[in-house]
Amino acid sequence: MTVADGDSPNPAEGAPVPRVLFDTATPTALGPASTGAVWRLAEPARQLDANIVRIPPDQRVEPHVEPDLDVLLLVVAGDGALITSDGPCSLTEGSLTWLPHGSTRGLVAGERGMSYLTVHRRRPGMRIQPAGRGRDQGSSS
């Protein structure tokens, strides 16, 4: 089935519709004062989380370990370096990087700063539990 054939899917009533969410060229026009997450995926009922993050020139995200999530990182503007346990790895506009869960990773922006897209599985929301039922207290089954 293709649009060229005149066919189109028949979506269910109320089904989500694909749409453009953000222009990745925008971070380059934000200027040096823009820092951190400049865009977040906030669609309801999504299965993914995504952010556009901007690091100003010569600033960094300190090395850390993400124990639970694999992350894809795509540099959309600027350049810098990915800091890993094996040493630094150069990142330029267009670099697509896989950050496996459990790995150490940090980022250092270059002279022009760096803006990047991250995509990962959505973290479950916080759940309120009855008192006495913390993480370290499993069920008796």
Side-chain angles (χ1 to χ4, degrees):
M1 164 182 350
T2 66
V3 173
D5 296 336
D7 291 332
S8 64
N10 202 1
E13 188 81 20
V17 176
R19 65 187 183 283
V20 175
L21 298 173
F22 186 81
D23 179 356
T24 61
T26 301
T28 59
L30 293 175
S34 300
T35 302
V38 296
W39 174 84
R40 296 179 197 275
L41 182 62
E43 305 307 302
R46 68 190 186 278
Q47 295 177 349
L48 294 174
D49 272 333
N51 303 288
I52 299 278
V53 178
R54 183 167 191 294
I55 304 174
D58 302 315
Q59 298 294 310
R60 66 177 49 231
V61 172
E62 292 297 330
H64 61 284
V65 174
E66 167 51 62
D68 301 322
L69 299 173
D70 287 1
V71 176
L72 282 178
L73 183 147
L74 174 65
V75 177
V76 296
D79 62 351
L82 171 66
I83 307 304
T84 73
S85 56
D86 285 342
C89 175
S90 179
L91 296 175
T92 58
E93 193 169 320
S95 294
L96 178 61
T97 306
W98 172 50
L99 308 173
H101 70 282
S103 66
T104 298
R105 73 288 287 271
L107 296 166
V108 178
E111 293 177 1
R112 299 183 298 138
M114 183 168 60
S115 296
Y116 57 92
L117 167 71
T118 63
V119 180
H120 56 80
R121 177 176 40 93
R122 187 175 181 190
R123 292 182 190 270
M126 183 171 41
R127 296 180 189 165
I128 298 176
Q129 300 176 0
R133 295 281 312 200
R135 253 187 173 190
D136 52 359
Q137 294 178 336
S139 66
S140 57
S141 53

